[in-house]
Amino acid sequence: MSNKVHEASMLSLHHKPTKSVNDKFHDLKADVSDFVLSWAYKMGLGYTTMAESYEQRRTEVFREIVIEAQGIHRNNLADLFSLVMKGNLYEVEKQLKAIEDNVKASVEKKYENRKDAADAIQSEIQAEIKKSPIYYHDAAGANIVHIAYLCTHYQIGRYLVKRYPDLACNPYTSDLGGLIRALEGGEEGKTKSKKEVLYQKWLSLRAQMNLPFGDNKELEKKMLYTGENILHMTIIRRNYDEVRWLLDFYQDHRHSHPRGLGKLLNGQAIGTFFDPKGPFYFGSSPLQFAVCSNNTSIFDLVYSFVCANDECNSSPDPDADNQTTTTHSLNFVGPEVIFATDEKGNNILHLCVLHGLDQMYTHVYNTALQVMGRKIHSFYIARSEQHSSEHNAFTLDTPFNTEDVHGYVMKETVLHMPHDPSNLKAWIEESARTKVDERLVLALNEDFHSPLTLAASIIDKKKDSEKDLLRKVEMFRFLVDKMKVHLWSYGPVSMSILNLDGIEIKYDVLQNYECKGREHLVLKKDKKIHGAIWWLCINDADKAISIPEIQQLIQAKWERVGYPLFILSFLINTFLTACVTLILIFINATPTRQVGYDTAMVANVLYAIVALAFFIMMMQEIRDFFVFSARVLHFRGVAGYDKVLRVLKIFSFVAFCCCKAVAAYNGAKNERYSVNGATVWYNARDDQGMKLCMVVCVIASYMHLYYFFMGFDGTGPFVLTMFRIISRDVPYFLNFYFIVVVAFGCALSMLSNDGNPAAGHGFFELLRAVWTLIQNTVGVSATHDNINSVDSYPNHLQWMADILLTAYSTSVIILMLNLLIAMISNTYNAYCEYNDAILLMAKYNMMHAMEWVMWPQELKANRAKYAQIDESKELHTVKEKDIGESGSARLVSKLSFRQQQQQPEQSSRRTTRARTVSSVDESSIDYKYLTRYLFEMQTISHSWCDNTVPQEAVATVVASSTTLAPAEVRKTSLFIIDPQSDFHPGGSLAIPAAGDDSLRIAQMIDDFGSDSIHDIYVSMDTHHPCHIAHAVSWYKPGQPNVHPEPFTSITNDDIKKKVWVYRDPNPAMQEWVATYTSALERKGKLVLTIWPEHCLIGSRGHSVVKVIDEALQRWAKRSSREVKYVMKGQNLRVEMYSALCAEVEDPLDQNTGFNHPLMSMLQTSDRLLICGQALSHCVNYTTRDILEHWDKSPSSLVVLTDATSSVPGFEAEGEKFKRLCESHKVTLNTIAEAFAGCKPNPVAVA
């Protein structure tokens, strides 16, 4: 870098930067803008201040600087970053070794004369390596391990993790050291000039932010990726195997690196790249990232490690380079981390909503229910063991301090011990659901959004693509359906209730939520708290409004509350409009004439009636404005149209009355004026004011009638569509038309001014020409004659004027007006599809405007007309009592209990921290009634009549009893295991009964496949000749031609004693064979077995047996669906009996790990039928793996006992497997039992 730039650099580091005149001017504008817009912000208009705009701009400039500097910096860190990015492991290893050798040589040279300094040398070597380029960060805060995982070079990443585990677990840093090195380093050529420009931009940014030397806190907050670690990266890429490897590695090395696992699991990604308003917002913690990955297996894995490891609650590492974990995330311990929130107050259900993950939402909610159920059950057991009956009420202590947590959670309610132990299970389920709803479902983020209202608020018809819009609407539909409580069913009719809190009624934050110390924030943002339907109407979400439950609710509210008030208002306004019209008719005195007959008395009566009515309405409007603050300013759409015209006609008539009073005052002074020979008692100015006010009043009165036409089913859709066309298509047309008319107006005014003494000033002539063209467009006939008259233009320019007028008429009247008609036609057709939804939104806007100016008691009475008021649910909170000097206490006694969480196998020896539950004295409980509004809705199942229901089946259905739901269509899938020729008679590994099994399977597919089997999966054993389980891969020591016989078992002890030797002499392979057999035996299921060579790729024995293959092809043609084939066993180094994973995972082959995509497809089935070969091995272990990950009832897994058989000699394994199925409640059926009640397909099979 040049000396000039270097001097500027040093000056900036030691002196506070001075602002330029331009920067000061911008700051002044920002201050003035903030002062002016602060009033608008207080009024609830929500404008973005200029200071916020400048802050956004500075953030963007800083981001550009970081990205550009990152590219420069990575290429100059001793080539280490570039080598990692290229994915060259050999070169990376070579470079790292060179750096370490240099460090080691320099340290050893320093201690060469000291023979007893071995420990000191080793310690200093480690310290110096941490100062070497290996531990450098680039301009964005990334180290080399981050780069490896960012570029998906997992082989290099694992190598670096093993070699530098302390470096690998560190997150992206917010330290600006790497950025400053990139900006201040010395380079030559083009890079030099580029860096000079970049550095000047850096200095300008610091000057604008007024940052002194050493103060980088504001800039550190703007770093892009602060807090992200390699676990975040692998999770969001949905790489289950890599996530598992990372967690297992740090779990296994927890003694040598005790804080490593805690750093990974506690990482908080809080950089600006993960801003909630951007597309890369996935929460902050790895658990929240796991939720956003939409992979339940990854979520379960991360959650199990978080629950099992105390490191997640340990204190931060004082030696860490950068601390990014926030305080609130550490307050959650063990399983209750599922209730944690990020900095924006969003919990995991909020994240599911933002990304439209309905299945993950259900999975997380069910997991939370299990956690809370175990906690409540543990407390019940603890109380029962103590035989304590002193206090029957208790609270579950929150795992966090509500003052530290972002967002708002409901107040902790008091639970009561069950009186009847026989109802224990139902009591635990109900209590757990209540607590989970309080902490997750009804929790509000910092913007006062629950998951439900958040789902409604993010639906934006203007910004979202069609695909995103449908996804968000379906998510909202899913949440509404989750809120319904089914009461009863009778035939096709079912009845449900819907709690209106959050849907139609906004949350009462001050009353029902923990907001101690933040009451002022709640009051300040009260205008932003709304129900879901309000957000749908504001965002014009017509597809979401079309959801049946929302339609029923709005329609019921309109019929019972809105319509009577609407009709009353319609009659009053129609009467007043008629009165105003009569006033205009009966005015008998004007400045120009006198009417012979006397109508003054009629006019005066009408004046009094209308004036009194408008005065009352004006007082009501003034009251609404001052009492209900700025709520009236939030009226939009139909409600806004009503409010504007109502105020306009009221105040215009009041102004008319004032003008008339002034005229009467002048008349009282006996001032008379003569107009056209007639003497009148007011002057022309008074008359103009009165007429102008009456013109405005009468136009507003009649235009206001359109508001009422919007509320009727017959006229509403048409009027609403026309208003939308006028508000959307016409402005677009006017933009184009304005340009054309001004262009032609300028040209015509130039022609008329040329040598024309009658022409006026040039500017006024331009206005005259434009106005004349506008009149010509709307068809005023006299205008065309005027504009085309010979006197307007010189004779020698008349031809040019004719051409211009012809071109104007062609472009505007013919082309642009027809274009406007086409636009209107397209818009009309588009809106016709959702006319009903548009009408519902208009009705809701009307009712919402009515409710916002109602008193609480009036509002409650109106809501009772369409919803049941339920005050039976009590909100029990613990009173705070003053006990003197010790302050307020909750009068609680602590009871500890142990979590009954089932831990994964690798964490079974770990214990979780004990939590406390508070037993509460009855006298310390504060009882409050929660007012809930429950809306009853009826639904009719149109598919009910398609189901076969016996005529004699009659059920008595009572509310809150067992529901009689319409028969549901269940999705049944068939999984055929290895139906290949080599396993059938005549094959190399023949099973005698396999032929009969396959005939029955083929017949089953033909009989029931089209209607009763939705998906078919077929696994295929696939091997190479030189497989670890084939005889050719083994030989006797010294006898290379002697191989083991089929079905020989080779144990790890045989390998150690060299009874059998593996064929490949590679030391790594010899070590793997020993490792593999040892791991196989540790599992206790199998030992390595030599099998006859079977199912070799490309051989006849690898193909599906003919009878099943033909049945599969027929099924595919009839159902128009594909058969899904799954290959297994290709790896030479492992056995793979299960279709989902190998017996021991090969670290060099990710395909030997668990097949999560296949499992996810199987999980979509309501019932899974399993058959094929062989019962003793592949069917056995495939079913075990499916059962372990099956998220439905085990009884929905069906093993078809007459469609599978054991390998000869292994019948005992098959019987053992059947007993295992019975113990785990897996269904064992024959084909006939599995399809009992199903009619065979009427298809003749040749």
Side-chain angles (χ1 to χ4, degrees):
M1 190 176 290
S2 64
N3 293 332
K4 183 178 180 180
V5 175
H6 182 70
E7 291 175 2
S9 171
M10 293 299 101
L11 186 64
S12 69
L13 293 177
H14 294 284
H15 297 278
K16 185 177 181 179
T18 57
K19 294 187 178 183
S20 63
V21 176
N22 190 33
D23 293 334
K24 293 180 179 179
F25 175 69
H26 285 313
D27 288 345
L28 178 62
K29 285 201 301 181
D31 293 338
V32 174
S33 172
D34 290 349
F35 176 77
V36 173
L37 294 178
S38 60
W39 177 83
Y41 178 78
K42 292 178 181 178
M43 296 298 290
L45 300 181
Y47 290 118
T48 301
T49 62
M50 190 174 292
E52 292 174 345
S53 300
Y54 282 135
E55 181 65 21
Q56 295 174 1
R57 175 57 186 159
R58 289 166 183 168
T59 302
E60 289 299 322
V61 170
F62 181 74
R63 178 177 301 203
E64 294 172 3
I65 292 173
V66 171
I67 293 175
E68 293 180 25
Q70 190 177 24
I72 298 173
H73 195 209
R74 284 178 178 174
N75 294 327
N76 295 284
L77 285 176
D79 293 330
L80 190 54
F81 276 73
S82 59
L83 290 175
V84 173
M85 292 178 68
K86 292 176 182 177
N88 193 329
L89 177 58
Y90 175 77
E91 293 295 335
V92 169
E93 187 176 5
K94 182 179 177 182
Q95 186 74 19
L96 291 173
K97 189 174 185 306
I99 296 174
E100 291 180 350
D101 289 345
N102 290 336
V103 171
K104 184 177 180 181
S106 63
V107 173
E108 288 178 348
K109 184 177 180 180
K110 179 179 177 181
Y111 289 89
E112 60 183 355
N113 297 325
R114 295 177 55 183
K115 298 181 180 180
D116 57 345
D119 294 338
I121 291 175
Q122 193 63 29
S123 176
E124 188 162 346
I125 288 175
Q126 294 298 326
E128 291 298 323
I129 287 178
K130 291 185 178 182
K131 298 177 184 178
S132 68
I134 298 174
Y135 279 74
Y136 279 0
H137 295 90
D138 67 2
N143 58 41
I144 55 176
V145 188
H146 297 147
I147 300 301
Y149 277 89
L150 184 65
C151 300
T152 65
H153 300 318
Y154 296 122
Q155 189 178 10
I156 296 178
R158 290 190 180 189
Y159 170 79
L160 294 174
V161 170
K162 293 176 182 178
R163 191 159 184 168
Y164 309 105
D166 56 334
L167 173 66
C169 63
N170 285 336
Y172 271 79
T173 181
S174 62
D175 182 29
L176 301 181
L179 178 60
I180 294 174
R181 280 196 300 270
L183 294 174
E184 296 184 352
E187 275 78 27
E188 300 296 334
K190 294 183 179 180
T191 305
K192 175 182 177 181
S193 59
K194 182 178 180 181
K195 291 181 65 174
E196 287 181 359
V197 174
L198 193 61
Y199 192 75
Q200 290 300 327
K201 187 187 292 187
W202 163 258
L203 294 179
S204 174
L205 177 63
R206 292 185 64 89
Q208 291 179 24
M209 298 181 67
N210 199 22
L211 298 178
F213 166 69
D215 185 5
N216 293 323
K217 292 182 179 179
E218 292 299 321
L219 289 174
E220 288 175 356
K221 294 178 182 178
K222 300 179 184 295
M223 286 294 282
L224 301 182
Y225 314 108
T226 302
E228 185 187 22
N229 58 38
I230 56 177
L231 186 58
H232 289 99
M233 299 180 192
T234 51
I235 287 173
I236 210 60
R237 283 197 170 94
R238 303 175 182 175
N239 192 331
Y240 177 87
D241 296 327
E242 197 63 28
V243 173
R244 183 61 182 260
W245 185 88
L246 282 173
L247 295 176
D248 284 343
F249 174 83
Y250 281 99
Q251 173 80 1
D252 295 338
H253 296 81
R254 60 188 179 277
H255 298 298
S256 56
H257 303 285
R259 297 184 181 274
L261 188 59
K263 279 186 177 182
L264 287 182
L265 295 174
N266 263 344
Q268 301 289 315
I270 57 175
T272 56
F273 182 79
F274 307 103
D275 185 79
K277 298 180 181 179
F280 306 107
Y281 174 57
F282 308 113
S284 57
S285 68
L287 185 65
Q288 293 167 338
F289 270 57
V291 170
C292 297
S293 72
N294 198 24
N295 189 313
T296 56
S297 299
I298 292 180
F299 171 80
D300 292 340
L301 175 66
V302 176
Y303 183 56
S304 65
F305 272 84
V306 172
C307 295
N309 287 274
D310 291 337
E311 298 167 32
C312 297
N313 193 46
S314 59
S315 59
D317 185 3
D319 300 328
D321 296 336
N322 180 259
Q323 295 299 332
T324 58
T325 56
T326 55
T327 303
H328 72 273
S329 67
L330 297 177
N331 286 330
F332 292 87
V333 183
E336 295 190 6
V337 74
I338 200 170
F339 302 112
T341 61
D342 63 6
E343 287 192 331
K344 298 299 179 180
N346 291 320
N347 59 38
I348 51 182
L349 295 190
H350 287 97
L351 296 174
C352 291
V353 168
L354 286 172
H355 296 278
L357 311 177
D358 51 354
Q359 292 183 358
M360 179 60 76
Y361 184 102
T362 303
H363 181 77
V364 168
Y365 183 80
N366 292 337
T367 304
L369 283 179
Q370 294 173 9
V371 171
M372 191 58 66
R374 281 192 287 267
K375 182 173 183 177
I376 295 174
H377 185 249
S378 300
F379 174 72
Y380 176 82
I381 293 175
R383 291 296 303 273
S384 300
E385 291 176 352
Q386 295 180 358
H387 304 287
S388 174
S389 59
E390 180 181 355
H391 304 306
N392 289 324
F394 67 95
T395 62
L396 301 179
D397 290 349
T398 55
F400 49 83
N401 186 345
T402 54
E403 297 182 12
D404 296 334
V405 175
H406 299 280
Y408 303 84
V409 295
M410 290 198 72
K411 293 179 179 178
E412 191 73 14
T413 57
V414 175
L415 300 177
H416 291 272
M417 294 286 288
H419 299 289
D420 185 3
S422 62
N423 295 329
L424 177 62
K425 182 178 180 181
W427 173 77
I428 291 176
E429 291 178 354
E430 181 64 25
S431 300
R433 192 174 300 276
T434 300
K435 292 300 179 181
V436 171
D437 287 349
E438 289 174 358
R439 298 187 184 182
L440 282 182
V441 179
L442 299 176
L444 308 181
N445 61 15
E446 289 192 336
D447 293 327
F448 301 97
H449 281 310
S450 68
L452 177 70
T453 58
L454 180 63
S457 66
I458 62 177
I459 300 175
D460 195 334
K461 187 177 180 180
K462 297 179 181 178
K463 298 180 180 179
D464 292 335
S465 64
E466 187 67 20
K467 183 178 179 181
D468 289 339
L469 187 63
L470 289 175
R471 175 178 59 83
K472 293 178 180 179
V473 171
E474 286 303 316
M475 189 69 207
F476 179 72
R477 187 195 305 270
F478 166 79
L479 293 178
V480 172
D481 191 61
K482 293 279 286 185
M483 290 189 65
K484 289 195 304 183
V485 178
H486 186 78
L487 292 180
W488 53 263
S489 298
Y490 191 80
V493 181
S494 62
M495 179 67 72
S496 304
I497 58 172
L498 187 66
N499 188 356
L500 298 185
D501 283 343
I503 293 182
E504 197 263 331
I505 302 172
K506 70 177 186 178
Y507 299 107
D508 191 347
V509 181
L510 288 176
Q511 180 70 20
N512 300 330
Y513 285 80
E514 294 284 359
C515 51
K516 186 176 181 180
R518 295 181 288 177
E519 292 85 351
H520 64 289
L521 294 176
V522 178
L523 293 172
K524 183 178 180 180
K525 298 183 179 181
D526 180 66
K527 304 177 189 67
K528 296 184 178 181
I529 308 175
H530 302 285
I533 300 180
W534 187 90
W535 288 106
L536 296 179
C537 294
I538 290 300
N539 295 332
D540 198 19
D542 44 23
K543 293 184 179 180
I545 289 289
S546 301
I547 295 174
E549 291 81 1
I550 304 300
Q551 283 185 330
Q552 286 191 44
L553 173 59
I554 296 178
Q555 195 62 34
K557 183 176 180 179
W558 174 256
E559 292 173 356
R560 302 172 192 175
V561 177
Y563 188 72
L565 296 175
F566 173 80
I567 288 296
L568 178 62
S569 178
F570 170 67
L571 295 176
I572 293 174
N573 281 274
T574 303
F575 173 74
L576 293 178
T577 302
C579 290
V580 171
T581 305
L582 290 175
I583 289 175
L584 297 179
I585 293 174
F586 289 112
I587 289 179
N588 60 357
T590 69
T592 57
R593 67 185 180 88
Q594 292 284 344
V595 180
Y597 51 88
D598 185 14
T599 58
M601 181 175 294
V602 177
N604 290 333
V605 171
L606 292 174
Y607 285 143
I609 294 173
V610 177
L612 178 62
F614 279 160
F615 177 78
I616 295 173
M617 295 170 68
M618 183 181 68
M619 292 295 101
Q620 184 179 5
E621 293 296 329
I622 294 174
R623 181 213 64 157
D624 292 344
F625 182 81
F626 286 101
V627 174
F628 299 103
S629 185
R631 286 185 179 183
V632 293
L633 299 178
H634 281 271
F635 292 162
R636 303 183 184 181
V638 176
Y641 178 81
D642 167 54
K643 181 62 65 175
V644 170
L645 291 180
R646 183 189 299 271
V647 171
L648 186 62
K649 71 179 182 182
I650 290 174
F651 284 93
S652 61
F653 190 84
V654 170
F656 165 77
C657 293
C658 293
C659 291
K660 194 170 182 63
V662 172
Y665 175 76
N666 292 334
K669 296 192 299 183
N670 295 321
E671 296 182 8
R672 296 289 185 268
Y673 303 93
S674 177
V675 180
N676 295 334
T679 302
V680 296
W681 54 271
Y682 50 83
N683 59 24
R685 181 174 298 176
D686 293 337
D687 182 60
Q688 291 175 2
M690 292 165 54
K691 293 300 189 294
L692 176 62
C693 293
M694 283 304 296
V695 166
V696 174
C697 181
V698 72
I699 292 176
S701 297
Y702 276 96
M703 293 301 293
H704 194 204
L705 292 178
Y706 278 114
Y707 163 77
F708 297 100
F709 291 156
M710 296 178 193
F712 295 105
D713 293 340
T715 58
F718 177 78
V719 176
L720 288 167
T721 303
M722 290 299 101
F723 267 82
R724 286 173 177 246
I725 289 172
I726 292 172
S727 63
R728 298 186 184 187
D729 286 346
V730 174
Y732 288 123
F733 169 78
L734 292 179
N735 289 335
F736 290 101
Y737 175 70
F738 177 77
I739 296 174
V740 174
V741 75
V742 171
F744 280 93
C746 290
L748 291 174
S749 66
M750 178 191 67
L751 298 181
S752 64
N753 282 336
D754 189 359
N756 186 2
H761 189 272
F763 177 72
F764 295 106
E765 190 65 22
L766 169 62
L767 295 181
R768 187 194 69 81
V770 171
W771 177 246
T772 305
L773 289 175
I774 293 174
Q775 289 180 311
N776 186 34
T777 303
V778 298
V780 180
S781 59
T783 305
H784 184 270
D785 298 336
N786 182 35
I787 196 172
N788 202 27
S789 63
V790 177
D791 297 337
S792 299
Y793 308 101
N795 292 332
H796 66 286
L797 298 178
Q798 184 66 38
W799 64 274
M800 193 179 300
D802 291 339
I803 293 175
L804 288 174
L805 289 172
T806 303
Y808 172 80
S809 300
T810 303
S811 61
V812 173
I813 299 177
I814 297 178
L815 296 180
M816 295 191 68
L817 288 181
N818 280 282
L819 177 63
L820 175 62
I821 293 172
M823 292 171 59
I824 291 175
S825 177
N826 290 336
T827 304
Y828 181 79
N829 292 333
Y831 283 130
C832 282
E833 183 180 358
Y834 293 101
N835 266 342
D836 294 339
I838 294 172
L839 180 60
L840 285 175
M841 286 191 286
K843 291 178 178 178
Y844 184 80
N845 275 329
M846 295 177 187
M847 293 184 291
H848 194 264
M850 298 173 188
E851 286 183 344
W852 267 31
V853 293
M854 288 182 182
W855 300 104
Q857 293 302 323
E858 183 183 5
L859 184 61
K860 184 176 181 180
N862 282 326
R863 284 176 176 166
K865 296 177 182 179
Y866 64 92
Q868 296 180 5
I869 300 180
D870 178 21
E871 293 184 340
S872 60
K873 183 179 179 182
E874 295 176 337
L875 175 64
H876 312 300
T877 56
V878 181
K879 297 178 182 178
E880 292 187 352
K881 294 188 176 181
D882 188 7
I883 54 175
E885 296 180 357
S886 59
S888 61
R890 299 181 60 189
L891 302 179
V892 297
S893 59
K894 301 294 183 179
L895 292 173
S896 63
F897 67 97
R898 298 180 60 189
Q899 295 286 354
Q900 303 296 323
Q901 170 99 12
Q902 293 183 357
Q903 301 297 341
E905 182 178 348
Q906 72 273 13
S907 304
S908 60
R909 292 185 299 273
R910 292 187 170 267
T911 57
T912 58
R913 293 185 176 222
R915 301 296 300 161
T916 58
V917 180
S918 302
S919 176
V920 183
D921 188 355
E922 295 286 348
S923 63
S924 65
I925 299 178
D926 185 16
Y927 294 90
K928 295 180 181 178
Y929 283 102
L930 280 177
T931 301
R932 297 189 305 169
Y933 296 92
L934 305 178
F935 175 69
E936 289 190 354
M937 61 181 67
Q938 267 191 7
T939 55
I940 300 177
S941 174
H942 298 289
S943 61
W944 182 83
C945 296
D946 299 334
N947 300 315
T948 304
V949 181
Q951 295 295 327
E952 62 275 8
V954 179
T956 303
V957 187
V958 184
S960 73
S961 65
T962 304
T963 61
L964 178 64
E968 298 179 358
V969 179
R970 301 178 64 195
K971 180 179 179 181
T972 298
S973 298
L974 175 64
F975 198 171
I976 310 176
I977 309 297
D978 301 353
Q980 293 160 276
S981 298
D982 266 347
F983 295 119
H984 288 71
S988 59
L989 188 51
I991 300 172
D996 295 335
D997 294 339
S998 295
L999 287 173
R1000 286 188 286 269
I1001 293 172
Q1003 190 64 43
M1004 172 185 64
I1005 296 173
D1006 287 331
D1007 287 346
F1008 306 106
S1010 298
D1011 298 329
S1012 301
I1013 300 177
H1014 297 76
D1015 288 314
I1016 297 181
Y1017 302 86
V1018 178
S1019 71
M1020 298 186 67
D1021 212 18
T1022 306
H1023 296 306
H1024 298 275
C1026 297
H1027 188 265
I1028 194 171
H1030 288 170
V1032 70
S1033 299
W1034 299 88
Y1035 66 91
K1036 282 280 188 181
Q1039 303 178 51
N1041 294 325
V1042 178
H1043 305 292
E1045 294 294 328
F1047 306 107
T1048 300
S1049 296
I1050 300 179
T1051 64
N1052 182 256
D1053 193 49
D1054 292 338
I1055 294 173
K1056 292 179 180 178
K1057 296 178 179 179
K1058 296 191 179 299
V1059 176
W1060 296 104
V1061 179
Y1062 194 70
R1063 179 178 179 178
D1064 190 345
N1066 188 342
M1069 192 61 196
Q1070 296 293 332
E1071 181 182 355
W1072 165 252
V1073 169
T1075 302
Y1076 173 72
T1077 54
S1078 176
L1080 202 61
E1081 293 169 17
R1082 277 202 308 271
K1083 286 192 171 184
K1085 295 190 297 184
L1086 297 165
V1087 295
L1088 176 60
T1089 303
I1090 301 299
W1091 299 100
E1093 293 183 7
H1094 61 282
C1095 301
L1096 300 182
I1097 298 177
S1099 69
R1100 184 176 181 181
H1102 181 260
S1103 63
V1104 176
V1105 69
K1106 183 178 180 180
V1107 64
I1108 291 183
D1109 179 61
E1110 292 175 349
L1112 292 175
Q1113 303 309 321
R1114 289 192 293 270
W1115 176 85
K1117 292 176 182 178
R1118 290 197 307 268
S1119 63
S1120 298
R1121 292 193 289 268
E1122 63 175 349
V1123 178
K1124 301 174 180 63
Y1125 292 92
V1126 181
M1127 303 298 171
K1128 67 183 184 70
Q1130 299 99 313
N1131 188 288
L1132 304 178
R1133 294 155 43 102
V1134 295
E1135 296 168 286
M1136 192 168 180
Y1137 298 114
S1138 170
L1140 285 100
C1141 65
E1143 299 309 307
V1144 176
E1145 182 178 353
D1146 184 354
L1148 301 181
D1149 185 2
Q1150 294 184 359
N1151 293 326
T1152 60
F1154 192 82
N1155 192 340
H1156 290 280
L1158 173 60
M1159 189 65 215
S1160 299
M1161 290 190 290
L1162 297 176
Q1163 293 279 21
T1164 61
S1165 308
D1166 296 311
R1167 187 172 68 148
L1168 181 62
L1169 310 179
I1170 303 172
C1171 61
Q1173 307 305 328
L1175 179 66
S1176 55
H1177 288 80
C1178 298
V1179 172
N1180 180 353
Y1181 295 109
T1182 299
T1183 306
R1184 289 172 186 256
D1185 286 340
I1186 293 175
L1187 178 61
E1188 183 179 351
H1189 295 81
W1190 192 247
D1191 59 5
K1192 302 177 180 66
S1193 171
S1195 61
S1196 59
L1197 291 178
V1198 182
V1199 178
L1200 301 177
T1201 55
D1202 58 344
T1204 180
S1205 302
S1206 298
V1207 176
F1210 292 88
E1211 290 81 359
E1213 294 295 328
E1215 293 302 319
K1216 181 179 178 182
F1217 166 63
K1218 288 183 179 180
R1219 291 193 295 272
L1220 178 104
C1221 290
E1222 292 173 352
S1223 64
H1224 286 79
K1225 298 184 180 180
V1226 174
T1227 304
L1228 297 176
N1229 277 163
T1230 62
I1231 293 176
E1233 292 171 343
F1235 290 95
C1238 297
K1239 295 182 179 180
N1241 300 325
V1243 178
V1245 181

